[in-house]
Coordinates of all heavy atoms in Angstrom, one line a residue:
L391 N -12.4 -0.5 -3.7 CA -11.0 -0.5 -3.5 C -10.4 0.7 -3.9 O -9.3 0.8 -4.5 CB -10.3 -1.7 -4.2 CG -10.7 -3.1 -3.6 CD1 -10.1 -4.2 -4.4 CD2 -10.3 -3.2 -2.1
A392 N -11.1 1.9 -3.7 CA -10.6 3.2 -4.0 C -9.4 3.6 -3.0 O -9.4 3.0 -1.9 CB -11.7 4.3 -3.9
V393 N -8.6 4.4 -3.5 CA -7.5 4.9 -2.6 C -8.0 5.7 -1.5 O -8.8 6.7 -1.7 CB -6.5 5.8 -3.5 CG1 -5.4 6.3 -2.5 CG2 -5.9 5.0 -4.6
P394 N -7.7 5.3 -0.2 CA -8.2 6.1 0.9 C -7.7 7.5 1.0 O -6.6 7.8 0.4 CB -7.8 5.3 2.1 CG -7.4 4.0 1.6 CD -7.0 4.2 0.1
T395 N -8.3 8.3 1.8 CA -7.7 9.8 1.9 C -7.7 10.1 3.4 O -8.4 11.0 3.9 CB -8.7 10.7 1.2 OG1 -10.0 10.6 1.7 CG2 -8.6 10.5 -0.4
P396 N -6.8 9.4 4.1 CA -6.7 9.7 5.6 C -6.1 11.1 5.7 O -5.4 11.7 4.8 CB -5.8 8.7 6.1 CG -5.0 8.3 4.9 CD -5.9 8.4 3.7
S397 N -6.3 11.7 6.9 CA -5.6 13.0 7.2 C -4.9 12.9 8.6 O -5.1 11.9 9.3 CB -6.6 14.1 7.2 OG -7.6 13.9 8.2
G398 N -4.2 13.9 8.9 CA -3.5 14.0 10.2 C -2.7 12.8 10.5 O -1.9 12.3 9.8
R399 N -2.8 12.4 11.8 CA -2.0 11.3 12.3 C -2.1 10.0 11.5 O -1.2 9.2 11.3 CB -2.3 11.1 13.7 CG -1.7 12.1 14.7 CD -1.9 11.7 16.1 NE -1.1 10.5 16.4 CZ -0.3 10.4 17.5 NH1 -0.3 11.4 18.4 NH2 0.4 9.4 17.7
Q400 N -3.4 9.7 11.1 CA -3.7 8.5 10.3 C -2.9 8.5 9.1 O -2.2 7.5 8.7 CB -5.1 8.3 10.1 CG -6.0 8.0 11.3 CD -7.4 7.6 10.9 OE1 -7.7 7.3 9.8 NE2 -8.2 7.5 11.9
A401 N -2.8 9.6 8.4 CA -2.0 9.8 7.1 C -0.5 9.5 7.5 O 0.2 8.8 6.7 CB -2.2 11.2 6.4
Q402 N -0.1 10.1 8.5 CA 1.3 10.0 8.9 C 1.6 8.4 9.2 O 2.7 8.0 8.7 CB 1.6 10.8 10.1 CG 3.0 10.8 10.6 CD 3.1 11.6 11.9 OE1 2.2 12.1 12.5 NE2 4.4 11.8 12.3
H403 N 0.8 7.8 9.9 CA 1.0 6.4 10.2 C 1.0 5.5 8.9 O 1.8 4.6 8.7 CB -0.1 5.8 11.2 CG 0.0 6.5 12.5 ND1 1.2 6.7 13.2 CD2 -1.0 6.9 13.3 CE1 0.9 7.2 14.4 NE2 -0.4 7.3 14.5
C404 N 0.0 5.8 8.0 CA 0.0 5.1 6.7 C 1.2 5.3 5.9 O 1.7 4.4 5.2 CB -1.3 5.5 5.9 SG -2.8 5.0 6.8
R405 N 1.7 6.5 5.9 CA 3.1 6.7 5.1 C 4.1 5.9 5.7 O 5.0 5.4 5.0 CB 3.3 8.3 5.1 CG 2.4 9.0 4.0 CD 3.0 10.4 3.8 NE 2.9 11.2 5.0 CZ 1.8 11.9 5.4 NH1 0.7 11.9 4.7 NH2 1.9 12.7 6.5
A406 N 4.2 5.9 7.1 CA 5.2 5.0 7.7 C 5.0 3.6 7.3 O 6.0 2.8 7.1 CB 5.1 5.2 9.2
L407 N 3.8 3.1 7.3 CA 3.5 1.7 7.0 C 4.0 1.5 5.6 O 4.6 0.4 5.3 CB 2.0 1.4 7.1 CG 1.5 0.0 6.6 CD1 2.2 -1.1 7.4 CD2 -0.1 -0.1 6.7
H408 N 3.7 2.3 4.7 CA 4.0 2.2 3.2 C 5.5 1.9 3.1 O 5.9 1.1 2.3 CB 3.6 3.4 2.5 CG 3.8 3.3 1.0 ND1 2.9 2.6 0.2 CD2 4.7 3.7 0.2 CE1 3.3 2.7 -1.1 NE2 4.3 3.2 -1.1
K409 N 6.4 2.5 3.9 CA 7.8 2.4 3.9 C 8.2 1.0 4.4 O 9.3 0.5 4.0 CB 8.5 3.4 4.7 CG 8.4 4.8 4.1 CD 9.1 5.8 4.9 CE 8.8 7.3 4.3 NZ 9.3 8.3 5.3
E410 N 7.3 0.4 5.2 CA 7.7 -1.0 5.8 C 7.1 -2.1 5.0 O 7.4 -3.3 5.3 CB 7.1 -1.1 7.2 CG 7.7 0.0 8.2 CD 9.2 -0.3 8.4 OE1 9.6 -1.5 8.4 OE2 9.9 0.7 8.7
L411 N 6.3 -1.9 4.0 CA 5.7 -3.0 3.2 C 6.6 -3.8 2.4 O 7.6 -3.3 1.9 CB 4.6 -2.4 2.2 CG 3.4 -1.8 2.9 CD1 2.6 -1.1 1.8 CD2 2.6 -2.8 3.8
P412 N 6.4 -5.1 2.4 CA 7.4 -6.0 1.7 C 7.2 -5.9 0.2 O 6.1 -5.6 -0.3 CB 7.0 -7.4 2.2 CG 5.6 -7.3 2.6 CD 5.4 -5.9 3.1
G413 N 8.2 -6.2 -0.5 CA 8.2 -6.2 -2.0 C 7.5 -7.4 -2.6 O 6.9 -7.4 -3.6
N414 N 7.6 -8.5 -1.8 CA 6.9 -9.8 -2.1 C 6.0 -10.1 -1.0 O 6.4 -10.0 0.2 CB 7.9 -10.8 -2.5 CG 8.6 -10.6 -3.8 OD1 7.9 -10.7 -4.9 ND2 9.9 -10.3 -3.7
L415 N 4.9 -10.8 -1.3 CA 4.0 -11.2 -0.3 C 3.5 -12.6 -0.7 O 2.9 -12.8 -1.8 CB 2.8 -10.3 -0.2 CG 1.9 -10.3 1.0 CD1 2.7 -10.2 2.3 CD2 0.9 -9.2 0.9
D416 N 3.9 -13.6 0.1 CA 3.5 -15.0 -0.3 C 3.9 -15.4 -1.8 O 3.1 -16.0 -2.4 CB 2.0 -15.2 0.0 CG 1.7 -16.7 0.0 OD1 2.5 -17.6 0.5 OD2 0.6 -17.0 -0.5
G417 N 5.1 -14.9 -2.2 CA 5.5 -15.2 -3.5 C 4.9 -14.4 -4.6 O 5.2 -14.5 -5.8
R418 N 4.1 -13.4 -4.3 CA 3.5 -12.5 -5.2 C 4.3 -11.1 -5.2 O 4.5 -10.6 -4.1 CB 2.0 -12.2 -4.8 CG 1.2 -13.4 -5.0 CD -0.2 -13.2 -4.4 NE -1.0 -14.3 -4.5 CZ -2.2 -14.3 -5.1 NH1 -2.8 -13.2 -5.5 NH2 -3.0 -15.5 -5.2
K419 N 4.6 -10.7 -6.3 CA 5.5 -9.5 -6.4 C 4.5 -8.2 -6.3 O 3.4 -8.3 -6.9 CB 6.2 -9.4 -7.8 CG 7.1 -8.3 -8.0 CD 7.9 -8.4 -9.3 CE 8.8 -7.1 -9.3 NZ 9.6 -7.2 -10.6
R420 N 5.0 -7.2 -5.7 CA 4.3 -6.0 -5.6 C 4.1 -5.4 -6.9 O 5.0 -5.3 -7.7 CB 5.1 -5.0 -4.6 CG 4.2 -3.8 -4.4 CD 4.3 -3.3 -3.0 NE 3.7 -2.0 -2.9 CZ 4.2 -1.0 -2.2 NH1 5.3 -1.3 -1.4 NH2 3.7 0.1 -2.1
T421 N 2.9 -4.9 -7.2 CA 2.6 -4.4 -8.6 C 2.8 -2.9 -8.6 O 2.8 -2.3 -7.6 CB 1.1 -4.8 -8.9 OG1 0.3 -4.0 -8.0 CG2 0.7 -6.2 -8.9
S422 N 2.8 -2.4 -9.8 CA 2.9 -0.9 -10.0 C 1.6 -0.4 -10.5 O 1.6 0.4 -11.4 CB 4.1 -0.6 -10.9 OG 3.9 -1.3 -12.1
D423 N 0.6 -0.8 -9.8 CA -0.8 -0.3 -10.2 C -0.8 1.2 -10.1 O -0.3 1.8 -9.2 CB -1.8 -1.0 -9.3 CG -3.2 -0.5 -9.5 OD1 -3.5 -0.5 -10.7 OD2 -3.9 -0.4 -8.6
P424 N -1.5 1.8 -11.1 CA -1.6 3.3 -11.0 C -2.3 3.8 -9.7 O -2.0 4.9 -9.3 CB -2.3 3.7 -12.3 CG -2.7 2.5 -12.9 CD -2.1 1.3 -12.3
K425 N -3.0 3.0 -9.1 CA -3.7 3.4 -7.8 C -2.7 3.3 -6.7 O -2.9 3.9 -5.6 CB -4.8 2.5 -7.5 CG -6.0 2.6 -8.3 CD -7.1 1.6 -7.8 CE -8.4 1.7 -8.6 NZ -9.4 0.8 -8.1
D426 N -1.5 2.7 -6.8 CA -0.6 2.6 -5.8 C -0.2 4.0 -5.2 O 0.2 4.9 -6.0 CB 0.7 1.9 -6.3 CG 1.5 1.3 -5.1 OD1 1.1 1.3 -4.0 OD2 2.6 0.9 -5.4
S427 N -0.3 4.1 -3.9 CA 0.0 5.4 -3.3 C 0.5 5.1 -1.9 O 0.7 3.9 -1.5 CB -1.3 6.2 -3.2 OG -2.2 5.7 -2.1
D428 N 0.7 6.1 -1.1 CA 1.2 5.9 0.2 C 0.1 5.3 1.1 O 0.4 4.8 2.2 CB 1.6 7.2 0.9 CG 2.8 7.8 0.4 OD1 3.6 7.0 -0.2 OD2 3.1 9.0 0.7
Y429 N -1.1 5.1 0.6 CA -2.3 4.6 1.3 C -2.8 3.3 0.7 O -3.8 2.8 1.2 CB -3.3 5.6 1.3 CG -2.9 6.9 1.8 CD1 -3.1 8.1 1.0 CD2 -2.2 7.1 3.0 CE1 -2.6 9.3 1.4 CE2 -1.8 8.4 3.4 CZ -1.9 9.5 2.5 OH -1.5 10.7 2.9
M430 N -2.1 2.8 -0.3 CA -2.6 1.6 -0.9 C -1.4 0.8 -1.7 O -0.5 1.5 -2.1 CB -3.7 1.9 -2.0 CG -4.4 0.8 -2.6 SD -5.8 1.5 -3.5 CE -6.4 0.1 -4.3
A431 N -1.5 -0.5 -1.6 CA -0.6 -1.3 -2.2 C -1.2 -2.6 -2.7 O -2.3 -3.0 -2.2 CB 0.6 -1.6 -1.3
A432 N -0.6 -3.3 -3.7 CA -1.1 -4.6 -4.2 C 0.0 -5.5 -4.6 O 1.1 -5.0 -4.9 CB -2.1 -4.3 -5.4
W433 N -0.4 -6.8 -4.4 CA 0.6 -7.8 -4.8 C 0.0 -8.9 -5.6 O -1.2 -9.4 -5.3 CB 1.2 -8.5 -3.6 CG 2.0 -7.6 -2.6 CD1 3.3 -7.6 -2.6 CD2 1.5 -6.7 -1.6 NE1 3.7 -6.7 -1.6 CE2 2.6 -6.2 -1.0 CE3 0.2 -6.4 -1.1 CZ2 2.5 -5.2 0.0 CZ3 0.1 -5.5 -0.1 CH2 1.2 -4.9 0.5
G434 N 0.6 -9.2 -6.8 CA 0.1 -10.4 -7.6 C -1.1 -10.1 -8.4 O -1.7 -9.0 -8.4
N435 N -1.6 -11.2 -9.0 CA -2.8 -11.1 -9.9 C -3.5 -12.4 -9.9 O -2.9 -13.5 -10.3 CB -2.4 -10.8 -11.4 CG -3.6 -10.6 -12.2 OD1 -4.7 -10.4 -11.7 ND2 -3.4 -10.6 -13.5
P436 N -4.7 -12.7 -9.4 CA -5.4 -11.6 -8.8 C -4.8 -11.0 -7.6 O -4.1 -11.7 -6.8 CB -6.8 -12.2 -8.4 CG -6.4 -13.6 -8.3 CD -5.3 -13.9 -9.2
A437 N -5.0 -9.7 -7.3 CA -4.3 -9.0 -6.3 C -4.7 -9.2 -4.9 O -5.9 -9.2 -4.6 CB -4.4 -7.5 -6.7
I438 N -3.8 -9.2 -4.0 CA -3.9 -9.0 -2.6 C -3.8 -7.5 -2.4 O -2.8 -6.9 -2.8 CB -2.9 -9.7 -1.8 CG1 -3.0 -11.3 -2.0 CG2 -3.0 -9.3 -0.3 CD1 -1.9 -12.0 -1.4

């Protein structure tokens, strides 16, 4: 579950996705995990 390192168009699409991600997912709050980046997100514990 390492942070991916896309480039080019894939990175652009992933940054756009990051802006669309919900703050809550099935009642689980988005975490502020240090791995959180434009390419990774997590909700709850244990995390989705």
Side-chain angles (χ1 to χ4, degrees):
L391 292 179
V393 177
T395 56
S397 60
R399 285 185 70 131
Q400 287 190 17
Q402 183 180 10
H403 294 317
C404 291
R405 285 191 296 272
L407 173 61
H408 188 78
K409 292 176 185 174
E410 297 294 328
L411 294 174
N414 287 292
L415 196 56
D416 195 36
R418 294 170 180 232
K419 187 175 178 179
R420 184 140 170 215
T421 64
S422 57
D423 180 39
K425 289 184 181 180
D426 197 14
S427 75
D428 285 346
Y429 311 122
M430 187 169 176
W433 294 265
N435 185 14
I438 296 168

